Amino acid sequence: MKAYISIKFREDNSNKYCIQKISSALERNGFETVCIARDIENWGQVELSPEELMQRSFAAIESSDVFVVDLSEKGVGLGIEAGYAHAVKIPVVVIAKAGSDISTTLQGISQKLLFYETFDDLVQFFEVSMVPDVRQ
């Protein structure tokens, strides 16, 4: 099973820790993960044109079994990616730090929604709540 991780892009990679913790929680539950900032752009070492970035992102989404988007911080790109995943029938799972504001449109296309206090909450969520729905 492959999970695409979508999270607000930060040029300074200040959310690298978040990406690593989300990825780790998924991997502990048997998922292979892909995240464009980490795997394609190599934490900012590789620059892609906007067109190539979106082509590579869409290809990675299409090759995934589940789309996991962290909406603790909003971003236009996150909505574009989530909408694309939904359009190509990839299950959308929304996670966000407790207290985050999630739009009704994103709630409307998501199969699961979790507000987490700590990254440890994600390990159990991916094990107990999400995995049975996605793996069927």
mmCIF file of all heavy atoms in Angstrom, residues 27-61:
data_model
loop_
_atom_site.group_PDB
_atom_site.id
_atom_site.type_symbol
_atom_site.label_atom_id
_atom_site.label_comp_id
_atom_site.label_asym_id
_atom_site.label_seq_id
_atom_site.Cartn_x
_atom_site.Cartn_y
_atom_site.Cartn_z
ATOM 1 N N GLU A 27 4.250 4.502 7.768
ATOM 2 C CA GLU A 27 5.156 3.374 7.545
ATOM 3 C C GLU A 27 5.049 2.333 8.651
ATOM 4 O O GLU A 27 5.133 1.138 8.386
ATOM 5 C CB GLU A 27 6.585 3.882 7.371
ATOM 6 C CG GLU A 27 6.759 4.615 6.048
ATOM 7 C CD GLU A 27 8.052 5.406 5.932
ATOM 8 O OE1 GLU A 27 8.877 5.397 6.893
ATOM 9 O OE2 GLU A 27 8.237 6.050 4.879
ATOM 10 N N ARG A 28 4.806 2.769 9.877
ATOM 11 C CA ARG A 28 4.620 1.821 10.988
ATOM 12 C C ARG A 28 3.375 0.968 10.791
ATOM 13 O O ARG A 28 3.230 -0.078 11.405
ATOM 14 C CB ARG A 28 4.550 2.567 12.317
ATOM 15 C CG ARG A 28 5.918 3.055 12.762
ATOM 16 C CD ARG A 28 5.911 3.756 14.082
ATOM 17 N NE ARG A 28 5.341 2.958 15.156
ATOM 18 C CZ ARG A 28 5.144 3.413 16.385
ATOM 19 N NH1 ARG A 28 5.488 4.661 16.679
ATOM 20 N NH2 ARG A 28 4.615 2.653 17.310
ATOM 21 N N ASN A 29 2.494 1.416 9.923
ATOM 22 C CA ASN A 29 1.278 0.666 9.613
ATOM 23 C C ASN A 29 1.349 0.004 8.238
ATOM 24 O O ASN A 29 0.329 -0.348 7.653
ATOM 25 C CB ASN A 29 0.057 1.579 9.723
ATOM 26 C CG ASN A 29 -0.326 1.805 11.166
ATOM 27 O OD1 ASN A 29 -0.849 0.911 11.816
ATOM 28 N ND2 ASN A 29 -0.035 2.986 11.687
ATOM 29 N N GLY A 30 2.545 -0.142 7.720
ATOM 30 C CA GLY A 30 2.741 -0.901 6.498
ATOM 31 C C GLY A 30 2.627 -0.147 5.195
ATOM 32 O O GLY A 30 2.611 -0.757 4.125
ATOM 33 N N PHE A 31 2.547 1.172 5.256
ATOM 34 C CA PHE A 31 2.452 1.972 4.036
ATOM 35 C C PHE A 31 3.826 2.405 3.554
ATOM 36 O O PHE A 31 4.688 2.775 4.351
ATOM 37 C CB PHE A 31 1.603 3.235 4.264
ATOM 38 C CG PHE A 31 0.142 2.975 4.353
ATOM 39 C CD1 PHE A 31 -0.453 2.665 5.565
ATOM 40 C CD2 PHE A 31 -0.653 3.040 3.214
ATOM 41 C CE1 PHE A 31 -1.815 2.426 5.641
ATOM 42 C CE2 PHE A 31 -2.010 2.803 3.285
ATOM 43 C CZ PHE A 31 -2.589 2.487 4.504
ATOM 44 N N GLU A 32 4.012 2.373 2.256
ATOM 45 C CA GLU A 32 5.130 3.042 1.606
ATOM 46 C C GLU A 32 4.628 4.472 1.407
ATOM 47 O O GLU A 32 3.457 4.679 1.093
ATOM 48 C CB GLU A 32 5.406 2.374 0.264
ATOM 49 C CG GLU A 32 6.417 3.067 -0.590
ATOM 50 C CD GLU A 32 6.491 2.492 -1.997
ATOM 51 O OE1 GLU A 32 5.923 1.407 -2.257
ATOM 52 O OE2 GLU A 32 7.100 3.145 -2.845
ATOM 53 N N THR A 33 5.487 5.469 1.589
ATOM 54 C CA THR A 33 5.026 6.849 1.452
ATOM 55 C C THR A 33 5.782 7.580 0.355
ATOM 56 O O THR A 33 6.926 7.260 0.040
ATOM 57 C CB THR A 33 5.192 7.638 2.772
ATOM 58 O OG1 THR A 33 6.567 7.712 3.111
ATOM 59 C CG2 THR A 33 4.395 6.989 3.898
ATOM 60 N N VAL A 34 5.094 8.561 -0.209
ATOM 61 C CA VAL A 34 5.711 9.468 -1.171
ATOM 62 C C VAL A 34 5.296 10.889 -0.789
ATOM 63 O O VAL A 34 4.140 11.138 -0.458
ATOM 64 C CB VAL A 34 5.331 9.132 -2.635
ATOM 65 C CG1 VAL A 34 3.848 9.264 -2.878
ATOM 66 C CG2 VAL A 34 6.116 9.988 -3.614
ATOM 67 N N CYS A 35 6.273 11.774 -0.804
ATOM 68 C CA CYS A 35 6.038 13.193 -0.551
ATOM 69 C C CYS A 35 6.926 13.957 -1.520
ATOM 70 O O CYS A 35 8.152 13.757 -1.548
ATOM 71 C CB CYS A 35 6.374 13.550 0.893
ATOM 72 S SG CYS A 35 6.149 15.308 1.261
ATOM 73 N N ILE A 36 6.338 14.793 -2.330
ATOM 74 C CA ILE A 36 7.058 15.488 -3.397
ATOM 75 C C ILE A 36 8.242 16.296 -2.855
ATOM 76 O O ILE A 36 9.346 16.236 -3.398
ATOM 77 C CB ILE A 36 6.109 16.376 -4.222
ATOM 78 C CG1 ILE A 36 5.042 15.519 -4.918
ATOM 79 C CG2 ILE A 36 6.880 17.224 -5.227
ATOM 80 C CD1 ILE A 36 5.580 14.468 -5.877
ATOM 81 N N ALA A 37 8.031 17.035 -1.772
ATOM 82 C CA ALA A 37 9.111 17.859 -1.218
ATOM 83 C C ALA A 37 10.312 17.008 -0.809
ATOM 84 O O ALA A 37 11.460 17.398 -1.011
ATOM 85 C CB ALA A 37 8.607 18.659 -0.019
ATOM 86 N N ARG A 38 10.046 15.849 -0.280
ATOM 87 C CA ARG A 38 11.114 14.962 0.172
ATOM 88 C C ARG A 38 11.696 14.122 -0.964
ATOM 89 O O ARG A 38 12.904 14.067 -1.148
ATOM 90 C CB ARG A 38 10.554 14.040 1.272
ATOM 91 C CG ARG A 38 11.539 13.019 1.809
ATOM 92 C CD ARG A 38 10.864 11.996 2.695
ATOM 93 N NE ARG A 38 9.982 11.152 1.889
ATOM 94 C CZ ARG A 38 9.028 10.393 2.397
ATOM 95 N NH1 ARG A 38 8.813 10.361 3.698
ATOM 96 N NH2 ARG A 38 8.268 9.652 1.612
ATOM 97 N N ASP A 39 10.820 13.463 -1.722
ATOM 98 C CA ASP A 39 11.263 12.441 -2.667
ATOM 99 C C ASP A 39 11.611 12.952 -4.060
ATOM 100 O O ASP A 39 12.475 12.379 -4.717
ATOM 101 C CB ASP A 39 10.188 11.356 -2.797
ATOM 102 C CG ASP A 39 9.867 10.717 -1.467
ATOM 103 O OD1 ASP A 39 10.793 10.561 -0.642
ATOM 104 O OD2 ASP A 39 8.701 10.365 -1.231
ATOM 105 N N ILE A 40 10.969 13.980 -4.517
ATOM 106 C CA ILE A 40 11.222 14.504 -5.863
ATOM 107 C C ILE A 40 12.109 15.752 -5.794
ATOM 108 O O ILE A 40 13.089 15.865 -6.518
ATOM 109 C CB ILE A 40 9.899 14.833 -6.602
ATOM 110 C CG1 ILE A 40 8.972 13.613 -6.643
ATOM 111 C CG2 ILE A 40 10.178 15.390 -7.993
ATOM 112 C CD1 ILE A 40 9.508 12.420 -7.386
ATOM 113 N N GLU A 41 11.769 16.669 -4.903
ATOM 114 C CA GLU A 41 12.527 17.916 -4.805
ATOM 115 C C GLU A 41 13.735 17.810 -3.862
ATOM 116 O O GLU A 41 14.521 18.750 -3.765
ATOM 117 C CB GLU A 41 11.609 19.051 -4.362
ATOM 118 C CG GLU A 41 10.526 19.349 -5.377
ATOM 119 C CD GLU A 41 9.574 20.432 -4.926
ATOM 120 O OE1 GLU A 41 9.133 20.413 -3.750
ATOM 121 O OE2 GLU A 41 9.285 21.309 -5.752
ATOM 122 N N ASN A 42 13.865 16.669 -3.196
ATOM 123 C CA ASN A 42 14.996 16.406 -2.305
ATOM 124 C C ASN A 42 15.234 17.573 -1.348
ATOM 125 O O ASN A 42 16.344 18.115 -1.268
ATOM 126 C CB ASN A 42 16.250 16.071 -3.115
ATOM 127 C CG ASN A 42 17.359 15.491 -2.266
ATOM 128 O OD1 ASN A 42 17.103 14.910 -1.218
ATOM 129 N ND2 ASN A 42 18.592 15.646 -2.715
ATOM 130 N N TRP A 43 14.177 17.959 -0.659
ATOM 131 C CA TRP A 43 14.220 19.040 0.337
ATOM 132 C C TRP A 43 14.762 20.341 -0.250
ATOM 133 O O TRP A 43 15.537 21.049 0.361
ATOM 134 C CB TRP A 43 15.011 18.637 1.574
ATOM 135 C CG TRP A 43 14.513 17.414 2.256
ATOM 136 C CD1 TRP A 43 15.185 16.243 2.404
ATOM 137 C CD2 TRP A 43 13.246 17.222 2.891
ATOM 138 N NE1 TRP A 43 14.413 15.327 3.086
ATOM 139 C CE2 TRP A 43 13.222 15.904 3.394
ATOM 140 C CE3 TRP A 43 12.113 18.014 3.070
ATOM 141 C CZ2 TRP A 43 12.124 15.369 4.066
ATOM 142 C CZ3 TRP A 43 11.025 17.480 3.748
ATOM 143 C CH2 TRP A 43 11.037 16.180 4.239
ATOM 144 N N GLY A 44 14.363 20.651 -1.485
ATOM 145 C CA GLY A 44 14.730 21.925 -2.101
ATOM 146 C C GLY A 44 15.978 21.880 -2.957
ATOM 147 O O GLY A 44 16.344 22.880 -3.564
ATOM 148 N N GLN A 45 16.607 20.740 -3.053
ATOM 149 C CA GLN A 45 17.825 20.611 -3.858
ATOM 150 C C GLN A 45 17.513 20.531 -5.355
ATOM 151 O O GLN A 45 18.359 20.842 -6.181
ATOM 152 C CB GLN A 45 18.627 19.380 -3.435
ATOM 153 C CG GLN A 45 19.095 19.422 -1.996
ATOM 154 C CD GLN A 45 19.971 20.623 -1.699
ATOM 155 O OE1 GLN A 45 20.948 20.877 -2.402
ATOM 156 N NE2 GLN A 45 19.612 21.385 -0.685
ATOM 157 N N VAL A 46 16.286 20.102 -5.702
ATOM 158 C CA VAL A 46 15.873 19.961 -7.093
ATOM 159 C C VAL A 46 14.744 20.948 -7.364
ATOM 160 O O VAL A 46 13.737 20.948 -6.657
ATOM 161 C CB VAL A 46 15.391 18.514 -7.392
ATOM 162 C CG1 VAL A 46 14.858 18.401 -8.809
ATOM 163 C CG2 VAL A 46 16.508 17.515 -7.138
ATOM 164 N N GLU A 47 14.920 21.803 -8.351
ATOM 165 C CA GLU A 47 13.869 22.753 -8.725
ATOM 166 C C GLU A 47 13.176 22.268 -9.983
ATOM 167 O O GLU A 47 13.823 21.899 -10.958
ATOM 168 C CB GLU A 47 14.466 24.135 -8.977
ATOM 169 C CG GLU A 47 14.661 24.926 -7.708
ATOM 170 C CD GLU A 47 14.951 26.388 -7.991
ATOM 171 O OE1 GLU A 47 14.241 27.000 -8.817
ATOM 172 O OE2 GLU A 47 15.908 26.886 -7.381
ATOM 173 N N LEU A 48 11.846 22.276 -9.935
ATOM 174 C CA LEU A 48 11.041 21.875 -11.080
ATOM 175 C C LEU A 48 10.221 23.061 -11.557
ATOM 176 O O LEU A 48 9.845 23.918 -10.754
ATOM 177 C CB LEU A 48 10.085 20.741 -10.681
ATOM 178 C CG LEU A 48 10.706 19.476 -10.105
ATOM 179 C CD1 LEU A 48 9.613 18.535 -9.612
ATOM 180 C CD2 LEU A 48 11.568 18.783 -11.134
ATOM 181 N N SER A 49 9.928 23.081 -12.838
ATOM 182 C CA SER A 49 9.011 24.106 -13.344
ATOM 183 C C SER A 49 7.637 23.812 -12.741
ATOM 184 O O SER A 49 7.354 22.672 -12.344
ATOM 185 C CB SER A 49 8.935 24.057 -14.866
ATOM 186 O OG SER A 49 8.262 22.871 -15.280
ATOM 187 N N PRO A 50 6.767 24.803 -12.665
ATOM 188 C CA PRO A 50 5.424 24.552 -12.136
ATOM 189 C C PRO A 50 4.705 23.428 -12.895
ATOM 190 O O PRO A 50 4.019 22.603 -12.284
ATOM 191 C CB PRO A 50 4.710 25.893 -12.314
ATOM 192 C CG PRO A 50 5.802 26.909 -12.271
ATOM 193 C CD PRO A 50 6.973 26.236 -12.950
ATOM 194 N N GLU A 51 4.878 23.385 -14.212
ATOM 195 C CA GLU A 51 4.223 22.343 -15.014
ATOM 196 C C GLU A 51 4.740 20.960 -14.655
ATOM 197 O O GLU A 51 3.971 20.025 -14.467
ATOM 198 C CB GLU A 51 4.420 22.600 -16.517
ATOM 199 C CG GLU A 51 3.763 23.872 -17.018
ATOM 200 C CD GLU A 51 4.588 25.135 -16.752
ATOM 201 O OE1 GLU A 51 5.784 25.062 -16.339
ATOM 202 O OE2 GLU A 51 4.031 26.238 -16.929
ATOM 203 N N GLU A 52 6.064 20.834 -14.559
ATOM 204 C CA GLU A 52 6.642 19.528 -14.228
ATOM 205 C C GLU A 52 6.290 19.124 -12.796
ATOM 206 O O GLU A 52 6.020 17.956 -12.516
ATOM 207 C CB GLU A 52 8.158 19.538 -14.407
ATOM 208 C CG GLU A 52 8.753 18.157 -14.186
ATOM 209 C CD GLU A 52 10.250 18.082 -14.453
ATOM 210 O OE1 GLU A 52 10.863 19.099 -14.819
ATOM 211 O OE2 GLU A 52 10.790 16.976 -14.285
ATOM 212 N N LEU A 53 6.279 20.086 -11.895
ATOM 213 C CA LEU A 53 5.904 19.805 -10.512
ATOM 214 C C LEU A 53 4.511 19.192 -10.443
ATOM 215 O O LEU A 53 4.293 18.170 -9.783
ATOM 216 C CB LEU A 53 5.963 21.085 -9.667
ATOM 217 C CG LEU A 53 5.460 20.953 -8.231
ATOM 218 C CD1 LEU A 53 6.339 20.012 -7.431
ATOM 219 C CD2 LEU A 53 5.391 22.319 -7.577
ATOM 220 N N MET A 54 3.571 19.799 -11.154
ATOM 221 C CA MET A 54 2.202 19.289 -11.118
ATOM 222 C C MET A 54 2.093 17.946 -11.839
ATOM 223 O O MET A 54 1.381 17.046 -11.378
ATOM 224 C CB MET A 54 1.214 20.306 -11.700
ATOM 225 C CG MET A 54 1.088 21.572 -10.856
ATOM 226 S SD MET A 54 0.917 21.305 -9.061
ATOM 227 C CE MET A 54 -0.587 20.377 -8.962
ATOM 228 N N GLN A 55 2.786 17.768 -12.947
ATOM 229 C CA GLN A 55 2.764 16.475 -13.645
ATOM 230 C C GLN A 55 3.302 15.372 -12.747
ATOM 231 O O GLN A 55 2.705 14.299 -12.660
ATOM 232 C CB GLN A 55 3.593 16.549 -14.937
ATOM 233 C CG GLN A 55 2.955 17.360 -16.028
ATOM 234 C CD GLN A 55 3.890 17.557 -17.224
ATOM 235 O OE1 GLN A 55 5.065 17.229 -17.184
ATOM 236 N NE2 GLN A 55 3.339 18.119 -18.290
ATOM 237 N N ARG A 56 4.399 15.636 -12.076
ATOM 238 C CA ARG A 56 4.995 14.632 -11.189
ATOM 239 C C ARG A 56 4.108 14.381 -9.978
ATOM 240 O O ARG A 56 3.981 13.247 -9.532
ATOM 241 C CB ARG A 56 6.394 15.069 -10.762
ATOM 242 C CG ARG A 56 7.293 15.389 -11.929
ATOM 243 C CD ARG A 56 8.400 14.505 -12.346
ATOM 244 N NE ARG A 56 9.124 13.640 -11.534
ATOM 245 C CZ ARG A 56 10.433 13.725 -11.293
ATOM 246 N NH1 ARG A 56 11.128 14.744 -11.780
ATOM 247 N NH2 ARG A 56 11.054 12.813 -10.597
ATOM 248 N N SER A 57 3.493 15.442 -9.459
ATOM 249 C CA SER A 57 2.584 15.286 -8.319
ATOM 250 C C SER A 57 1.377 14.441 -8.706
ATOM 251 O O SER A 57 1.004 13.505 -7.984
ATOM 252 C CB SER A 57 2.113 16.660 -7.818
ATOM 253 O OG SER A 57 3.202 17.409 -7.332
ATOM 254 N N PHE A 58 0.768 14.754 -9.831
ATOM 255 C CA PHE A 58 -0.403 13.999 -10.271
ATOM 256 C C PHE A 58 -0.057 12.537 -10.549
ATOM 257 O O PHE A 58 -0.818 11.637 -10.211
ATOM 258 C CB PHE A 58 -1.044 14.643 -11.498
ATOM 259 C CG PHE A 58 -1.717 15.967 -11.217
ATOM 260 C CD1 PHE A 58 -1.949 16.867 -12.248
ATOM 261 C CD2 PHE A 58 -2.128 16.335 -9.945
ATOM 262 C CE1 PHE A 58 -2.575 18.085 -12.014
ATOM 263 C CE2 PHE A 58 -2.753 17.552 -9.696
ATOM 264 C CZ PHE A 58 -2.976 18.427 -10.734
ATOM 265 N N ALA A 59 1.103 12.283 -11.139
ATOM 266 C CA ALA A 59 1.520 10.899 -11.402
ATOM 267 C C ALA A 59 1.713 10.144 -10.083
ATOM 268 O O ALA A 59 1.312 8.979 -9.966
ATOM 269 C CB ALA A 59 2.806 10.879 -12.225
ATOM 270 N N ALA A 60 2.309 10.798 -9.095
ATOM 271 C CA ALA A 60 2.513 10.160 -7.796
ATOM 272 C C ALA A 60 1.177 9.899 -7.097
ATOM 273 O O ALA A 60 0.994 8.860 -6.461
ATOM 274 C CB ALA A 60 3.420 11.017 -6.918
ATOM 275 N N ILE A 61 0.238 10.818 -7.230
ATOM 276 C CA ILE A 61 -1.091 10.620 -6.641
ATOM 277 C C ILE A 61 -1.763 9.418 -7.297
ATOM 278 O O ILE A 61 -2.304 8.542 -6.615
ATOM 279 C CB ILE A 61 -1.956 11.894 -6.780
ATOM 280 C CG1 ILE A 61 -1.413 13.003 -5.877
ATOM 281 C CG2 ILE A 61 -3.426 11.595 -6.459
ATOM 282 C CD1 ILE A 61 -1.981 14.377 -6.145
#
